[in-house]
Amino acid sequence: MKDALMGFGQKLGKAILLPVAILPVAGLLLGISSALSGQAVLETYPILDNTILQAILQIMKAAGSGVFNALPLIFAVGIAIGLAKKEKGPAALAAVVGYFVLIITINALLTITGELAPPDADPRAYGQGAQFGVLTLQMGVFGGILTGIVTGLIHNRFYNIKLPEMLAFFGGSRFVPIINTFVFLIVGALMYIIWPFIGNGIAAFGEFATGLGTLGAFLYGLMLRTLYLFGLHHVFYLPFWTTAAGGTLEVGGQMYEGFQTIFLAQLSDPETTKFFGNLALFNSGRYLHMMFGMIGIVLAMYHAIPKGPKRKATAGFLLSVGLTAFVTGVTEPISFALLFASPLLFAAEAILFALSFVVASIANITIGSTFSAGLVEFLLFGVFQGNDKTNFLWALLLAIPVIAVYYFVFKFLIIKLNAKTPGRDDDEVTEEEQGHEIIAEDGKAKLIIEGLGGFDNITEIDNCATRLRVTVVKPDKIDAKVLKQTGAMNTVVRGKAIQVIYGPKVNIIRGEVDDYIEQNNIKHL
């Protein structure tokens, strides 16, 4: 059972990287455009109020917002594709169907019970929000992740189903979107019942943390980071942003509630000499974590990779996600990599994130934000506002210590846990393996299947950069000598997990094997 759960966790981690890969570019578009096009910013920096520049920024904002608004559906489709063994196209369609049935079922139940937010009210006050024009419970990315996982399981169970002759047209992969429709009628009904308890619990915790001072800042940061990964943070931070839970203050003769509302009012108030103190409790720690802490994590990931081809091959990816976090504050690619390498790594990140709020609170750093907490907003709402208002110099002084703490903590944990962060697969790709060459020959796929014990002995086939990865029923049926005849450099047997090393051209081998499987009409593969 434990091995099965670990195996599924690894598959889910791999599947979730597909939608996560979209986030850096979308975050960059949205972060820059939001930071440079706000009314308060334009009033403070008139040079930005240029028609052509603002038109470009609006297009960037629309593109970035479109992607982020569609994140639940993107995650649903991406995870379903990643989990599907075969027929990935129908799996993606089934995920789309499943997600829309989910939100429409919840909308129908809210309407029937009279709980749907009135047209003239803010739906967020009811725990609701619009998804593709459908007012439903605001589940965020969690709804998409749930849809992707359930769809992947349903797809792998039914994509090769055989129906009676008269219904044969609806069999196989066509059956998956059909059955998914009924499955998500049930899932939607269950979430209608369960989700309000989850959402109310999150909001109640937020109100409780407000009166605890520095301890409240720690608890706020810990909860915010945990929920951020699942797209549920908006349920938690909304009371802090817009209600008295985040504090009250008179600005320009008018009372404002919520630290975000107060900050925006102060930003355009020429009489403001110091930004609202609750920004130090509930906001400024994000800059320490996202701009500097993430640099430490990325460096730790890089140096935890053994020297060799994998370190070089992974450097570009780590540089990309590190720069994205630093400039825009979008950190999901790093957080997901930590979570699926080891939950303990994500727990460590969440704790350090919360401690960043404590440090910002003690240093009284009062830098506001709108979209993110990256370099763009640090300059706009920190540096350009002056140190008297924000204490931004403390953030710069703390940068090196924060990077160092994150670096040493995560390098130690990654190595100690032998966590499979990017570039740290089960086996290091050696120079010899990377340079191994194979010669294409007719009949090689047939020989590979024989070496793996035949079709009936194989349950799953995949590949990485240099290895054919196979799950088998009986490892003792593996014939390493036969596999060596096909050009394999070596065969590694670890329980039922088999790795046949072919070198960089393994994708060609995988394609030949897939073709051979299809020619022989092997349904379970």
Side-chain angles (χ1 to χ4, degrees):
M1 181 66 176
K2 181 181 177 181
D3 291 341
L5 289 174
M6 287 296 293
F8 179 76
Q10 290 177 357
K11 291 178 184 176
L12 180 58
K14 183 178 177 181
I16 214 164
L17 287 177
L18 178 59
V20 164
I22 300 170
L23 296 177
V25 174
L28 189 65
L29 291 172
L30 190 55
I32 294 174
S33 59
S34 296
L36 299 180
S37 62
Q39 186 59 41
V41 175
L42 295 179
E43 292 175 0
T44 307
Y45 307 103
I47 193 173
L48 297 175
D49 194 6
N50 176 280
T51 303
I52 296 176
L53 174 61
Q54 288 302 312
I56 293 172
L57 290 173
Q58 287 304 310
I59 294 172
M60 291 171 60
K61 186 175 183 179
S65 297
V67 173
F68 272 94
N69 291 338
L71 275 185
L73 182 59
I74 290 171
F75 269 80
V77 173
I79 291 174
I81 290 173
L83 292 179
K85 293 179 180 178
K86 294 188 70 176
E87 300 284 357
K88 294 179 181 290
L93 176 60
V96 173
V97 172
Y99 182 74
F100 278 101
V101 171
L102 171 68
I103 62 175
I104 289 170
T105 298
I106 294 173
N107 172 273
L109 289 169
L110 290 171
T111 302
I112 292 169
T113 57
E115 299 175 9
L116 197 69
D120 57 345
D122 185 348
R124 294 178 297 179
Y126 295 79
Q128 300 169 20
Q131 286 289 333
F132 301 100
V134 179
L135 194 59
T136 186
L137 292 176
Q138 189 66 281
M139 295 183 291
V141 175
F142 177 84
I145 294 174
L146 175 66
T147 301
I149 293 173
V150 173
T151 300
L153 296 174
I154 294 295
H155 176 83
N156 289 336
R157 172 65 179 83
F158 293 108
Y159 77 90
N160 57 359
I161 190 172
K162 293 182 180 179
L163 297 178
E165 189 68 29
M166 67 173 59
L167 299 174
F169 175 80
F170 301 101
S173 60
R174 294 190 185 97
F175 184 73
V176 179
I178 297 172
I179 190 66
N180 226 33
T181 302
F182 295 98
V183 167
F184 276 91
L185 284 171
I186 299 171
V187 173
L190 289 174
M191 293 311 296
Y192 163 77
I193 297 170
I194 297 170
W195 186 255
F197 294 100
I198 300 174
N200 290 336
I202 293 170
F205 181 86
E207 294 180 6
F208 168 74
T210 304
L212 298 181
T214 302
L215 176 59
F218 177 82
L219 295 176
Y220 176 88
L222 189 64
M223 182 64 76
L224 185 67
R225 195 59 186 166
T226 303
L227 296 174
Y228 184 70
L229 191 62
F230 301 101
L232 307 179
H233 53 296
H234 59 276
V235 181
F236 178 63
Y237 69 59
L238 185 63
F240 290 87
W241 274 34
T242 59
T243 74
T248 59
L249 188 72
E250 182 178 332
V251 181
Q254 184 175 344
M255 289 299 297
Y256 291 90
E257 295 183 347
F259 73 79
Q260 179 72 353
T261 306
I262 293 169
F263 165 67
L264 293 175
Q266 287 186 314
L267 195 62
S268 57
D269 179 23
E271 301 300 320
T272 297
T273 57
K274 177 70 176 177
F275 284 129
F276 186 43
N278 276 13
L279 289 170
L281 287 175
F282 303 130
N283 192 74
S284 302
R286 297 166 67 223
Y287 286 100
L288 298 179
H289 180 83
M290 295 175 182
M291 287 179 60
F292 309 124
M294 284 297 167
I295 292 177
I297 294 177
V298 167
L299 286 173
M301 287 182 177
Y302 176 76
H303 286 120
I305 304 170
K307 290 183 179 179
K310 277 196 175 181
R311 178 182 281 191
K312 294 178 182 178
T314 312
F317 169 76
L318 292 178
L319 178 63
S320 172
V321 296
L323 282 176
T324 298
F326 180 74
V327 174
T328 72
V330 174
T331 60
E332 283 94 332
I334 301 173
S335 295
F336 277 119
L338 293 174
L339 176 64
F340 290 105
S342 170
L344 290 177
L345 290 180
F346 177 70
E349 189 212 345
I351 291 171
L352 287 176
F353 180 79
L355 289 174
S356 296
F357 280 71
V358 173
V359 172
S361 172
I362 293 172
N364 195 27
I365 302 170
T366 53
I367 307 174
S369 60
T370 55
F371 162 72
S372 66
L375 177 63
V376 174
E377 296 207 355
F378 180 78
L379 292 173
L380 288 173
F381 304 131
V383 177
F384 295 167
Q385 301 301 323
N387 191 62
D388 290 341
K389 286 184 180 181
T390 64
N391 266 355
F392 75 86
L393 288 177
W394 268 108
L396 296 178
L397 289 173
L398 289 166
I400 299 301
V402 168
I403 291 172
V405 169
Y406 276 70
Y407 172 79
F408 287 112
V409 167
F410 278 93
K411 186 177 179 184
F412 170 79
L413 288 175
I414 290 170
I415 295 174
K416 183 72 174 177
L417 298 170
N418 193 25
K420 309 308 178 189
T421 49
R424 286 176 54 85
D425 294 338
D426 290 334
D427 300 274
E428 182 183 358
V429 179
T430 63
E431 296 284 356
E432 185 182 6
E433 181 175 330
Q434 187 71 23
H436 184 63
E437 292 290 338
I438 52 176
I439 301 172
E441 297 175 356
D442 293 337
K444 181 176 291 186
K446 179 181 179 181
L447 206 57
I448 290 173
I449 297 298
E450 290 177 3
L452 293 171
F455 289 123
D456 293 338
N457 194 45
I458 302 170
T459 60
E460 189 173 350
I461 296 180
D462 202 349
N463 70 279
C464 61
T466 59
R467 304 178 179 210
L468 197 65
R469 295 176 179 260
V470 187
T471 305
V472 299
V473 179
K474 296 181 179 181
D476 56 1
K477 286 190 174 184
I478 302 300
D479 192 331
K481 291 182 179 179
V482 171
L483 291 171
K484 199 154 191 175
Q485 294 175 27
T486 67
M489 175 183 171
N490 195 9
T491 300
V492 180
V493 180
R494 292 179 174 173
K496 295 182 178 181
I498 314 300
Q499 299 177 22
V500 190
I501 304 172
Y502 284 107
K505 292 185 178 179
V506 69
N507 58 319
I508 298 175
I509 292 289
R510 168 73 187 281
E512 293 173 354
V513 170
D514 285 345
D515 290 342
Y516 184 66
I517 290 171
E518 188 172 348
Q519 290 168 11
N520 286 271
N521 198 28
I522 306 300
K523 296 297 184 181
H524 75 280
L525 295 175

